Amino acid sequence: MLHIIKVYEITILFKNFRGDTMQNGKIGFILLSGLMIGPILGSGIIILPPAVYETAGNYAIFAWMLMLGLSMLFAYLFGKLSIMIPGDSGVPLAVERAFGTHIKNLSAIFFVLAVCFGPVAVVGTAGHYMQLLTSQTFVQEKWLTFGLLCIVYIILTRNITAVGKFAFVMSSFIVVTLLVGSLHTLFTADGNISLTEPITVYDFGHSLLLLFWALIGWEIIGSYSLEVKSPERTIPKAIALSFTIIAGVSLAVALAFQWTAGKAGMKDQSLASLLESLFGSWATPLISTITIALCISTVLLVIGAVTRLIYDQAKSSVLPKWLSFKNRNNVPSRALLLMFSIHSGIFALYYINIVSIQQLVAIANAFFLCNALLGVLACMRLFASPFLKAGAAVLSVCFLCILLFSSPFILLGIAVVSVYFLWLQRVENKQERRSMLRRVEE
């Protein structure tokens, strides 16, 4: 069932918007929601509805509902973690509390490596749609990609309030366009949804596997926990608002696509057809614009999070001290410069065709999953509630299953790095036990 926000609630949100923007340089729940909605919807909201419908047919909507239930649990777990253990490092801080310093560093490495590879792939997708949108043939797609990457970094040099406002505007545009277009299609277009055809357990399970990528993103909220007003109130409200909007948009888009695809006989596999009933010839440009906005929102969130992680690791002397610097906008500018240098190098490899978008996505996804997996394992250890422990256990099994679909070479690299840090943690734990025994004996 779609979540409906009453008119007076929308009025209150916009009245609070100006007061939400800054308090000692910190953001409130609306701008924090703006940072989360676009990236968590991600390009999946464009890609997944056709893909899941092709796999599960009209039963796809049930797969969406089930996965959104797991997404709500995932969001709740990491919201609790970010309040319990606030800090610029985000998930690695919780991992340290649960398993020790070296496993925290392992989590940090996974996240940093993911963000080293992922953003160039995401911005590359935006560059492709930018060229389609502008029909520019004199500017190469790859140079459009680099130009968008530079724009992202310019935005990130601003304080968190400015970044939040920018993300809020883009998220609002994405949500309104998709929601209005989907609802208009549902109420005006001829269609049908029939559950007469049977579905196999394998097909339904495969649709869940596809949809599981929609969960990734909530774990990054912890990296912004020090930059929000009153985290105990702001973070739960931001998660509740973000999830309500994300769930509403996801269900509306999935249901509207099913409604029209059933009649179209699977001929049109893009969401442009979903928007055509309202926007006509503007449907395809709108889908391109939405995809570009989603990509930029995602990159803003993850690069902003990783620079705060690098800053925190440098403060703890894990990384060089010169990286532990924030400018007058409270931005970790040296960490930002480091990431821009890395992304420029990755872009150069992409430009000369040494790596492809698909390869970058595969590498980044594996490392993102490893970081999320360590996060849910930390939840199992830190939370006292049996319900939360059980939820974390379910998520950890799902993450592990998805991770196993990665390239054998990537899995081998992850295994080697993990074994090394586990060995370091075991050595440290033994030394701590010996020190405790000596103190007891004395």
Side-chain angles (χ1 to χ4, degrees):
M1 182 177 181
L2 297 178
H3 296 275
I4 302 173
I5 302 176
K6 296 179 182 178
V7 175
Y8 74 88
E9 291 174 327
I10 298 175
T11 306
I12 292 171
L13 287 180
F14 280 92
K15 277 186 176 181
N16 289 337
F17 178 74
R18 291 187 64 185
D20 183 64
T21 56
M22 181 174 287
Q23 177 183 324
N24 299 322
K26 297 187 177 184
I27 60 174
F29 79 96
I30 295 178
L31 293 191
L32 183 58
S33 298
L35 276 172
M36 293 190 294
I37 291 168
I40 294 172
L41 279 174
S43 56
I45 195 61
I46 306 296
I47 297 167
L48 288 176
V52 175
Y53 180 78
E54 185 176 8
T55 303
N58 284 322
Y59 293 89
I61 192 64
F62 299 110
W64 278 94
M65 292 169 68
L66 180 57
M67 200 50 60
L68 284 169
L70 288 176
S71 181
M72 181 170 63
L73 174 62
F74 190 53
Y76 180 75
L77 287 174
F78 280 91
K80 294 277 286 184
L81 267 188
S82 63
I83 294 169
M84 180 190 297
I85 311 170
D88 287 314
S89 287
V91 169
L93 280 176
V95 173
E96 180 181 33
R97 179 80 63 88
F99 303 114
T101 304
H102 292 292
I103 308 303
K104 171 198 174 183
N105 293 338
L106 175 63
S107 175
I109 286 171
F110 283 148
F111 187 59
V112 171
L113 286 173
V115 182
C116 283
F117 293 98
V120 174
V122 176
V123 178
T125 303
H128 173 71
Y129 278 93
M130 178 69 78
Q131 189 173 56
L132 292 177
L133 185 64
T134 59
S135 301
Q136 297 294 331
T137 56
F138 59 88
V139 180
Q140 289 185 24
E141 180 182 308
K142 291 182 178 179
W143 284 118
L144 286 173
T145 296
F146 188 71
L148 287 172
L149 187 65
C150 292
I151 290 171
V152 165
Y153 273 95
I154 290 170
I155 295 168
L156 286 169
T157 59
R158 307 294 298 170
N159 61 37
I160 188 65
T161 303
V163 176
K165 285 179 180 178
F166 184 79
F168 179 84
V169 170
M170 287 199 298
S171 295
S172 299
F173 165 71
I174 294 163
V175 166
V176 170
T177 304
L178 288 177
L179 195 57
V180 170
S182 299
L183 293 176
H184 185 271
T185 298
L186 283 170
F187 286 109
T188 62
D190 291 331
N192 64 80
I193 294 178
S194 172
L195 301 177
T196 55
E197 295 183 7
I199 184 174
T200 65
V201 173
Y202 174 81
D203 286 340
F204 191 75
H206 186 60
S207 69
L208 291 176
L209 186 63
L210 289 171
L211 279 173
F212 210 81
W213 296 110
L215 268 70
I216 303 298
W218 292 106
E219 71 275 17
I220 298 175
I221 189 173
S223 298
Y224 294 89
S225 55
L226 296 182
E227 300 192 50
V228 299
K229 300 179 291 186
S230 307
E232 296 81 3
R233 296 195 303 272
T234 299
I235 290 175
K237 287 169 70 176
I239 288 175
L241 176 61
S242 300
F243 178 78
T244 299
I245 292 173
I246 289 167
V249 171
S250 298
L251 290 176
V253 170
L255 194 59
F257 183 82
Q258 286 185 215
W259 183 253
T260 55
K263 184 181 178 182
M266 301 290 296
K267 291 179 181 179
D268 192 340
Q269 283 294 291
S270 81
L271 289 193
S273 60
L274 186 151
L275 300 181
E276 279 176 359
S277 64
L278 179 61
F279 298 106
S281 61
W282 287 92
T284 299
L286 271 174
I287 287 294
S288 297
T289 304
I290 287 170
T291 305
I292 293 167
L294 285 167
C295 290
I296 292 175
S297 296
T298 302
V299 173
L300 282 172
L301 183 75
V302 296
I303 295 178
V306 84
T307 54
R308 285 157 177 80
L309 171 60
I310 291 170
Y311 165 82
D312 190 68
Q313 291 290 90
K315 270 204 321 181
S316 304
S317 300
V318 176
L319 294 176
K321 275 288 185 184
W322 69 273
L323 289 169
S324 61
F325 172 79
K326 286 187 177 181
N327 63 17
R328 58 192 179 92
N329 288 329
N330 202 35
V331 174
S333 51
R334 291 176 184 173
L336 202 64
L337 179 61
L338 173 65
M339 289 307 301
F340 179 72
S341 302
I342 292 171
H343 287 147
S344 297
I346 297 294
F347 171 78
L349 297 177
Y350 165 60
Y351 184 79
I352 59 179
N353 298 317
I354 291 179
V355 294
S356 66
I357 293 291
Q358 291 77 12
Q359 289 171 324
L360 292 174
V361 168
I363 296 169
N365 281 340
F367 289 125
F368 273 128
L369 267 172
C370 288
N371 182 59
L373 177 59
L374 286 175
V376 294
L377 289 174
C379 289
M380 288 177 61
R381 188 147 191 180
L382 293 174
F383 292 142
S385 166
F387 171 75
L388 294 180
K389 284 181 179 291
V394 169
L395 290 174
S396 63
V397 170
C398 293
F399 281 146
L400 183 59
C401 290
I402 293 176
L403 182 61
L404 294 177
F405 283 88
S406 300
S407 160
F409 296 105
I410 295 173
L411 290 175
L412 179 62
I414 289 169
V416 170
V417 173
S418 299
V419 168
Y420 174 69
F421 278 91
L422 286 168
W423 176 76
L424 288 178
Q425 189 62 57
R426 185 178 179 184
V427 170
E428 184 180 274
N429 292 343
K430 283 184 177 180
Q431 290 174 346
E432 288 179 356
R433 283 196 293 268
R434 286 171 186 164
S435 298
M436 288 178 63
L437 285 172
R438 288 195 198 101
R439 286 196 293 269
V440 169
E441 290 172 357
E442 292 172 359

